[in-house]
Amino acid sequence: MRIPAALIDDAIRWRHQLHAIPELGYQETLTAGNIAEWLESFGLQVHTGLGGTGIVATLENGPGPAIGLRADMDALPIAEMSGVPYQSRHPGRMHACGHDGHSAILLGAARSLCLTRRFSGTLHFIFQPAEENLAGARAMIDDGLFRRFPMQGIYGLHNWPGLPAGHVGINAGAMMASLDTFEITLTGRSCHAAMPETGDDPLIAAAHLLLALQTITARHISPTDSAVLSVTQINGGVALNVIPDHAVLRGTFRCLQTPVRDRVKTLISDLVAALPPSFGVSGEVTFSVGYPVTRNHAAEAEKLRAIAVNTLGAERVHGNIPPSMASEDFAFMLDACPGAYFWLGADGETPSRPLHSASYDFNDALIEPGIALWHAIVETLLPQQP
């Protein structure tokens, strides 16, 4: 389908408006207010407040199944350095992951589908808060997303630097890794730095433990499996001449298979129990369970791949691509409902800046193919009744 130029212009304008007012997870009041107002102007049934600031807008058009299309709304705590005219007006916050673009694409699709209505069934346009580390998808589910708005399938997209603009990447399986975090507290015995033999140094234990933790993925997980473990913080001590009582290590691990995820957690616990005592130090670890693997349902992924080929051409659709070790909380929705998630390439004549970069800006050239894909998905999965 050819998307009208005026609609594309409107979607770009909406995107720029959203880009200028970035809000962090569960704080998307201005963002959600604007989106709800636009959706209401299209004539949709708009439901607000799901999972805090989430929105579901419903379009019913005759008999048939129901599906959901999802976009995320939140921004990141990054000071923007893109230099675009519509740059963030909120200091220390910016749309560095393209959620403004995802929302604009879904808004454009909602408006267009309200006008054309070449489908039979029910559409739920889902605008989700707090994707960045705060599990807004789970919050919407807990608040009754699938109970209040029953659907037979749910679909999401994310812009993707590294793929040419307008190309699609999709797997019939894992797309993104699980996310879990850990905090390890090492307790020793404080003493004067000039007399280390009188204490038990938790910093020495921390140094050895950091190196030992890297052997989990290097020596205990098969090279044919996928896992990454990173220690991202070490804290301990306040004075230059004092060996402290405590040291704390924090980090994250990400996996593409649930058994590997469980194995990594067990190995971290084993190392924390076994290694610090050899230095006279005790260790304790706590885990924060984050996001599951973002895993497409095979049948739904194959449907989307075929739709993308028909819409964009086979040369612009890439299957069996390497999954990302980054994470995405759309995983919760895929755990609760059949569906699929795909990447929409972001690289134009020059490569896109990386996601989460202070210099990143969503590529507006993706809005037209994004709207066209949502149209094709809806009109294929919800065909008109004869």
Side-chain angles (χ1 to χ4, degrees):
M1 173 187 174
R2 185 172 182 81
I3 308 302
L7 176 57
I8 297 169
D9 290 343
D10 283 341
I12 291 173
R13 176 173 52 82
W14 298 329
R15 206 279 288 183
H16 292 181
Q17 287 182 237
L18 295 176
H19 188 92
I21 55 167
E23 297 169 296
L24 303 182
Y26 300 119
Q27 301 173 27
E28 307 96 336
T29 53
L30 288 173
T31 301
N34 277 300
I35 289 173
E37 183 177 337
W38 290 324
L39 292 167
E40 287 170 353
S41 75
F42 307 159
L44 291 165
Q45 306 169 38
V46 179
H47 310 268
T48 61
L50 270 84
T53 49
I55 299 168
V56 177
T58 299
L59 174 59
E60 297 176 348
N61 194 53
I67 62 173
L69 310 179
R70 171 267 200 177
D72 33 21
M73 301 188 295
D74 57 322
L76 285 156
I78 297 173
E80 183 165 3
M81 298 177 64
S82 69
V84 297
Y86 44 86
Q87 183 162 305
S88 169
R89 300 198 300 264
H90 296 169
R93 287 170 282 169
M94 72 169 287
H95 274 294
C97 202
H99 297 183
D100 52 337
H102 305 161
S103 292
I105 289 172
L106 191 55
L107 282 164
R111 184 176 184 181
S112 183
L113 286 159
C114 282
L115 294 172
T116 59
R117 295 178 180 257
R118 291 193 298 267
F119 70 94
S120 185
T122 299
L123 289 178
H124 300 298
F125 302 99
I126 301 163
F127 294 83
Q128 180 211 303
E131 188 279 324
E132 300 287 356
N133 297 323
L134 295 174
R138 183 171 58 192
M140 290 191 80
I141 293 167
D142 291 346
D143 213 8
L145 173 63
F146 294 116
R147 184 181 68 255
R148 294 172 59 184
F149 307 96
M151 58 192 82
Q152 286 69 59
I154 189 161
Y155 304 92
L157 67 79
H158 203 294
N159 80 98
W160 205 252
L163 280 177
H167 286 223
V168 164
I170 188 166
N171 291 332
M175 290 290 296
M176 310 278 278
S178 62
L179 164 64
D180 298 288
T181 61
F182 58 86
E183 178 176 293
I184 300 167
T185 302
L186 301 176
T187 303
R189 189 159 51 96
S190 180
C191 64
H192 197 295
M195 294 172 276
E197 75 281 4
T198 64
D200 297 303
D201 190 346
L203 295 177
I204 292 292
H208 283 266
L209 183 59
L210 186 153
L211 294 175
L213 287 168
Q214 298 309 306
T215 69
I216 289 176
T217 54
R219 288 294 178 267
H220 295 282
I221 299 298
S222 169
T224 60
D225 292 327
S226 298
V228 61
L229 185 154
S230 296
V231 176
T232 55
Q233 295 180 15
I234 301 180
N235 296 298
V238 293
L240 290 175
N241 60 348
V242 177
I243 291 174
D245 281 317
H246 301 284
V248 176
L249 295 84
R250 298 185 181 92
T252 178
F253 60 99
R254 299 160 187 263
C255 308
L256 292 176
Q257 300 93 13
T258 299
V260 175
R261 185 185 189 190
D262 296 338
R263 175 72 171 148
V264 171
K265 182 177 179 180
T266 297
L267 289 168
I268 293 172
S269 298
D270 291 347
L271 279 175
V272 172
L275 190 148
S278 65
F279 298 94
V281 172
S282 64
E284 181 181 357
V285 59
T286 57
F287 295 97
S288 294
V289 177
Y291 297 172
V293 177
T294 304
R295 186 178 302 280
N296 284 338
H297 296 249
E300 283 69 23
E302 175 54 29
K303 291 174 188 175
L304 256 60
R305 188 202 63 78
I307 292 168
V309 167
N310 288 336
T311 306
L312 303 174
E315 70 282 359
R316 299 174 70 184
V317 179
H318 309 272
N320 298 317
I321 55 176
S324 172
M325 297 308 290
S327 303
E328 158 69 77
D329 82 339
F330 189 65
F332 290 110
M333 294 189 179
L334 290 177
D335 275 1
C337 180
Y341 172 90
F342 63 94
W343 295 336
L344 186 59
D347 287 353
E349 292 183 4
T350 58
S352 169
R353 294 297 181 96
L355 300 176
H356 294 209
S357 162
S359 300
Y360 168 88
D361 183 40
F362 180 86
N363 184 353
D364 286 332
L366 307 189
I367 287 178
E368 182 174 9
I371 295 173
L373 280 166
W374 281 144
H375 246 281
I377 288 166
V378 169
E379 293 173 0
T380 304
L381 298 182
L382 301 179
Q384 287 183 309
Q385 299 294 320

